[in-house]
Amino acid sequence: MSPLPGAIPCKPGSCTKPLPGIVPRVLHADLSDVGTNEGGMLCIEKPWPGMLRGVWGDDERFKETYWKKVPHMYLTGDNARQDEDGYYWIMGRIDDVINVSGHRLSTIEIESALVSHPSVAEAAAVGRPDEIKGQGIAVFVTLKNHAPDESIREELKKHVRKEIGALAVPDEIRFTTMLPKTRSGKIMRRLLRDIASGKENVQDTSTLEDFSVLAKLRSDEES
Amino acid sequence: MATEHSPESKAPKQIANVMNETRVFPPSSEFSQTAEIGSMDAYQALYETSIGDTEKFWEAQAREHLHWFEPFTQTLDWQEPVAQWFLGGKTNVSYNCLDAHVQAGRGDRVAFHWEGEPGDTRTITYADLTKDVCRFAAALSKLGIKKGDRVSIYMPMVPELPVAMLACARIGAIHSVIFGGFSAEAIADRNNDAQAKLVITADGGWRRGKLLALKQTVDEALAKSPSVEHCIVLRRAGNEPAMQAHRDLWWHEITADTPDHFPAVELDSEDPLFILYTSGSTGKPKGIKHTTAGYNLYAKRTFEWVFDHKPGQDIFWCTADCGWITGHSYIVYGPLSAGATQVLYEGAPNWPAEDRFWELIEKYKVTILYTAPTAIRAFIDVVLQQDWWGGDVR
């Protein structure tokens, strides 16, 4: 899916419309079609010439990853919604969804809300186990023009409440010098999930945390 | 689209919450007038045709946009989850990217304006690139690399990286490009999963003024890669790595006496073109497989549609590394089959200064920039401070 520069009006943040030959479908977990502006699993109905042909030496893994969860459709692994104009919006990877008290929240949505605050440079949201809510929300934030203190922590919670709703207010906000990223520039979500759930030990407990050493250790595995 | 340069558009430095975005930016009518797909109606018509009779649509696209040594007889055989496109046809991706242009009289067109991080430059035409690929393909062939063999490529962003990919494609060898930042462990995992026979690398590359000793990393990987018989080393950084007799070969030595003409092997549409490894949840590398004709067609047409590329006019720059799928499709196979003129850059975007990207855009008069939001966010302040808008870039 992509805008075409001479034809399709852009909405910032939307991948707009499907390219020729691509037939997208957005489905609930029970495989029923979602309604307008409802998020769900993005699938592709028909084969197209540029479709991947397999996983080298592992036909089972190819079927398992892309063809099993939704019968007769290619599972992209992305969540998406379609708006009232038929525009598609990618809402993050399927496994980036946080399930808080039965509500499915997209990490991208929470991150977008955070970076819309003038003091936030970058943000990453991950789920962490929560006995009551199923999953809690932990966010990692790099700040600009602001010290990492309680006042900004409270302000950011208020800001997310305003932008998305009380549901999406992070349970924990951690400030970091920089977000750990793979060499291709993707945020290392598994590492952040492990840090948030306490599975990965972080010795540094200062107000501004540095995860660069952990990131380096795990960069191959998460790329 | 760099059509609105009003003072207002310079003001908002803050990035809005894009999930609640309601603004709509239509294409300028001036731009739409010359575009291949110039209106929403034109898009709708094309889209409806493409999904109405999908096979007929792609059959016509494939006949028009690829060179066929032998025409295909069946458009699609769909045995879920295995799709086979353009069966019975014979083609070669390297032919579509190179020979097709030279034979049409476009050999003098620049394929790559290359710039190394230290500032060294090379200008490579389609005719030059074809010769380089032929010489290297001939060398690979002489070394015993043949159709179906797997070849790992671990190189910096120098012109020899696309040359190595295209040379593999020319003889039907399956390349597996490993991004130049990966560790020895990751290279060995990928070599072993693919049972690679050959690794192509360089002595070193430059990143943020620092020398990356690529060959040294490959040496560590090769100690754990029993399938690899040879390692070809490009001299890039001049850091004189250790060379193991019989196993290691210098690129410039094995291509010293190979011919400028080396015919592309006629391949079946579904012969594998490349494997590209991506991470999986289990940690074992997952080698995504793409094949010849369908991938080539889709990379070419999506490149032309999405960027509305005008051959011979536009200067295209995709800032990804060839080591990712974006680089495979939108530096190598898409743009080259479309006859694009591109900028290829070796180093980091903010070295030696924050405005390196913008300096290159200006220098090479880039008209189409394809980059990641992260890069835009990182540089927006620099660009705003310098009151710099990049001329005609979009």
Side-chain angles (χ1 to χ4, degrees), chain A residues 64-84:
Chain A
E64 181 75 33
T65 314
Y66 303 102
W67 297 97
K68 205 162 179 179
K69 198 164 174 181
V70 181
H72 311 304
M73 281 189 217
Y74 169 77
L75 182 72
T76 64
D78 286 323
N79 273 305
R81 68 179 167 91
Q82 205 181 4
D83 71 13
E84 51 285 354

Side-chain angles (χ1 to χ4, degrees), chain B residues 192-207:
Chain B
N192 292 329
D193 188 80
Q195 289 293 293
K197 246 172 110 173
L198 169 73
V199 174
I200 304 169
T201 189
D203 52 358
W206 299 102
R207 186 86 184 169

Side-chain angles (χ1 to χ4, degrees), chain A residues 1-3 11 13-18 87-90:
Chain A
M1 290 194 263
S2 168
K11 297 185 185 186
S14 166
C15 60
T16 73
K17 300 271 182 176
Y87 277 51
Y88 287 89
W89 299 73
I90 301 294

Side-chain angles (χ1 to χ4, degrees), chain A residues 61 65 95 190 193 221, chain B residues 278-286:
Chain A
R61 196 168 176 192
T65 314
D95 54 9
R190 258 188 289 157
R193 274 198 287 271
E221 155 193 1
Chain B
T278 159
S279 67
S281 44
T282 63
K284 184 179 178 281
K286 183 168 71 183

Side-chain angles (χ1 to χ4, degrees), chain A residues 2-14 17-24 45-58 61-63 65-67 70-73 81 85 87 89-91 106 108-110 112-113 115-118 121-122 144 163-164 181 183-186 190 219-223, chain B residues 1 14-21 23-27 31-32 35 37-40 43-44 46-47 50-52 54 57-58 76 78 80-81 83 85-86 150 174 179 181-183 185-186 190 193-194 270 272 275 277 279-282 284-291 294-295 297-298 302 305-308 324 374 394:
Chain A
S2 168
L4 303 177
I8 302 180
C10 285
K11 297 185 185 186
S14 166
K17 300 271 182 176
L19 286 163
I22 301 293
V23 185
E45 265 187 68
K46 291 188 177 196
W48 68 100
M51 186 169 78
L52 80 168
R53 296 298 198 273
V55 171
W56 186 259
D58 201 342
R61 196 168 176 192
F62 175 57
K63 280 182 207 159
T65 314
Y66 303 102
W67 297 97
V70 181
H72 311 304
M73 281 189 217
R81 68 179 167 91
D85 298 321
Y87 277 51
W89 299 73
I90 301 294
M91 299 167 72
S106 140
I108 289 192
E109 213 160 346
I110 300 167
S112 299
V115 298
S116 73
H117 189 281
E122 278 195 296
K144 54 184 181 191
E163 292 286 328
I164 309 174
K181 286 184 188 156
R183 293 188 179 93
S184 58
K186 288 181 190 158
R190 258 188 289 157
S219 56
D220 280 337
E221 155 193 1
E222 289 210 26
S223 57
Chain B
M1 211 75 26
Q14 186 185 320
I15 293 155
N17 179 350
V18 291
M19 298 311 284
N20 292 329
E21 179 65 58
R23 290 174 300 166
V24 176
F25 296 84
F31 184 86
S32 292
I37 307 164
S39 69
M40 200 62 177
Y43 161 73
Q44 281 298 352
L46 176 73
Y47 183 68
S50 78
I51 63 164
T54 307
F57 176 79
W58 289 119
L76 173 65
W78 176 224
E80 190 191 302
W85 287 88
F86 314 123
R150 276 80 62 203
I174 304 166
F179 173 59
F182 276 116
S183 66
E185 199 61 46
R190 285 153 175 73
D193 188 80
E270 287 294 340
I275 310 168
Y277 283 91
S279 67
S281 44
T282 63
K284 184 179 178 281
K286 183 168 71 183
I288 299 297
K289 182 176 81 179
H290 280 280
T291 55
Y295 171 82
L297 177 67
Y298 201 71
T302 51
W305 286 323
V306 170
F307 299 103
D308 194 59
W324 311 121
T374 320
R394 58 185 167 95

Side-chain angles (χ1 to χ4, degrees), chain A residues 103-156:
Chain A
H103 299 279
R104 290 161 67 80
L105 290 167
S106 140
T107 52
I108 289 192
E109 213 160 346
I110 300 167
E111 290 158 10
S112 299
L114 286 164
V115 298
S116 73
H117 189 281
S119 299
V120 173
E122 278 195 296
V126 295
R128 60 155 201 208
D130 185 295
E131 276 189 16
I132 296 158
K133 298 190 280 187
Q135 274 188 304
I137 304 165
V139 301
F140 295 81
V141 167
T142 61
L143 293 169
K144 54 184 181 191
N145 322 318
H146 206 294
D149 57 21
E150 267 320 299
S151 72
I152 184 73
R153 200 168 261 135
E154 282 317 302
E155 202 178 311
L156 290 178

